[in-house]
Amino acid sequence: MKKLFVALAAIGLFFASCEQEPKYKLTGKITGQAEGKVYLSKVQDNDLVKVDSAQLQEGAFEFAGSVTSPELFFIQLDGKKETIQFFIENSNIDIKADVEKLQEAVITGSAEQAVYDGYVKSQKPFAEKNNTLRREFMAARGANDKAKMDSIRSAASEMQAEAEAAIDEFLTSNANSIASGYVKYRMTGNMKLEKMEEMYNALPENVKASVYGNLIKDKIDLQKSVAIGKPAPDFTLNTPEETPFSLSSLKGKVVVIDFWASWCGPCRAENPHMVELYKEVNEKGVEFLGVSLDDNKDNWLKAIEADGLIWKHVSDLKGWNSKASRMYGVTGIPATVLLDQNGVIVAKNLRSADLKVEIEKLLQ
């Protein structure tokens, strides 16, 4: 009898432990839409991926589950491009929104969302001022008022410094918040490797263990793998004629990998200078390889022809999910990677004038 009691007690403890597992319960109400499908989504590999779904019942919906750490999720409605962005955590979270103003949703019950709301609120005055200054600058440029343009540039610099100070204050005050980790991850866009490592090393352990801490670490590891002095990772993509072409086939020559896209204004503005440089150095044994971040083949081909880009071009037409751009950690274009004759990375992100200087060093 005693053994039976012990066994039953153990079973009871097992079920009790299961019941105590942290979970979230997400309830919501969408005003202006009574029926339809609602999706719970998250970002994975630069895509918004649906992880759960429910039916609206008189505008109401509900989701339940668990997360290992607070993370940014999204509510999507069928037929709507706008989404509701919020931090989910293992708590009771409530969302109230108007179907025509989803981004203005009111979210309660998530401590991390409350922190992030504070960040957004702190930056809103700077965003509004930036928009005002942009309009004033365009008007001054239209009137060819150079003094006014200089004055606006000065005001914009001061505003940027104030905005950065506000961000620093937020991050310092909320150092242990996962939302703070998310903001730091967003700041790593074009951050230099050394500064990124310094930022990561200063993160509290709970933030390091979060999705955003891991993303920063992954980015550091990637940047190290394609740092100056490292062998350039090989890739194979299709040419406009849909013929596979490998970077490694150019080994033995100085190579410029040029990441660009037809829709990128700065890329198109730089192209004439790149054409001029190519014509000057190609006969000396230098090859260019254009890697497009386009997702529309017609637009890609038209831009090649319109800009007179007479070197080899490749693309997988996956936009920012381009295999090569992700392999090289490209977060903004135009971006260049210069390789020596042995396929080793010797310089990165140089425009045509500085690129020419580095190419000439390799040709000596």
Side-chain angles (χ1 to χ4, degrees), residues 68-105:
T68 56
S69 176
E71 187 176 351
L72 201 63
F73 271 65
F74 299 81
I75 291 294
Q76 294 178 281
L77 299 177
D78 265 340
K80 291 289 182 181
K81 291 184 178 180
E82 197 175 36
T83 63
I84 300 172
Q85 171 182 299
F86 67 104
F87 276 92
I88 201 167
E89 56 191 82
N90 294 318
S91 62
N92 294 324
I93 303 171
D94 184 67
I95 296 177
K96 288 183 171 56
D98 187 301
V99 71
E100 300 301 331
K101 301 176 182 178
L102 293 179
Q103 291 185 350
E104 298 179 15

Side-chain angles (χ1 to χ4, degrees), residues 45-47 190 259-261 263-264 267 292-295 315-327 329-335:
D45 295 328
N46 291 330
D47 285 327
N190 292 314
F259 293 96
W260 73 294
W263 44 260
C264 169
C267 301
S292 171
L293 274 63
D294 276 286
D295 56 14
S315 180
D316 52 15
L317 298 174
K318 293 182 179 180
W320 282 109
N321 282 324
S322 162
K323 170 187 173 181
S325 69
R326 296 186 68 182
M327 186 181 291
V330 174
T331 57
I333 52 176

Side-chain angles (χ1 to χ4, degrees), residues 23-64:
K23 292 182 178 294
Y24 64 77
K25 182 178 181 182
L26 173 63
T27 56
K29 178 72 173 179
I30 306 295
T31 302
Q33 184 166 328
E35 300 177 346
K37 199 94 170 209
V38 57
Y39 301 96
L40 185 63
S41 306
K42 62 185 288 188
V43 175
Q44 293 179 338
D45 295 328
N46 291 330
D47 285 327
L48 198 56
V49 178
K50 298 178 176 68
V51 297
D52 203 352
S53 65
Q55 289 287 343
L56 286 174
Q57 302 289 340
E58 296 183 354
F61 65 87
E62 183 176 312
F63 292 104

Side-chain angles (χ1 to χ4, degrees), residues 245 250 253-258 270-290 304 307-313 336 338 351-353 355-357 359-360 363:
F245 185 87
L250 298 175
K253 298 183 177 182
V254 173
V255 178
V256 176
I257 308 174
D258 180 29
E270 180 71 2
N271 278 344
H273 307 293
M274 292 293 281
V275 170
E276 183 180 345
L277 176 60
Y278 177 80
K279 289 179 178 178
E280 183 176 344
V281 300
N282 176 244
E283 61 184 22
K284 300 176 183 178
V286 180
E287 292 291 344
F288 284 18
L289 179 61
I304 291 173
D307 293 0
L309 309 183
I310 51 180
W311 47 84
K312 185 72 73 175
H313 292 272
T336 57
L338 178 63
R351 295 295 178 93
S352 54
L355 194 54
K356 179 181 177 180
V357 173
I359 289 173
E360 288 176 344
L363 296 176

Side-chain angles (χ1 to χ4, degrees), residues 188-233:
T188 62
N190 292 314
M191 187 179 288
K192 290 186 177 180
L193 178 60
E194 296 78 10
K195 188 172 182 180
M196 206 185 308
E197 286 189 291
E198 182 182 342
M199 173 190 285
Y200 176 77
N201 291 334
L203 292 176
E205 290 304 314
N206 69 310
V207 180
K208 281 184 179 179
S210 73
V211 170
Y212 308 108
N214 283 311
L215 285 172
I216 296 172
K217 180 63 166 58
D218 289 345
K219 196 166 185 179
I220 289 170
D221 292 342
L222 175 59
Q223 292 297 335
K224 284 183 175 180
S225 72
V226 290
I228 292 172
K230 294 287 186 178

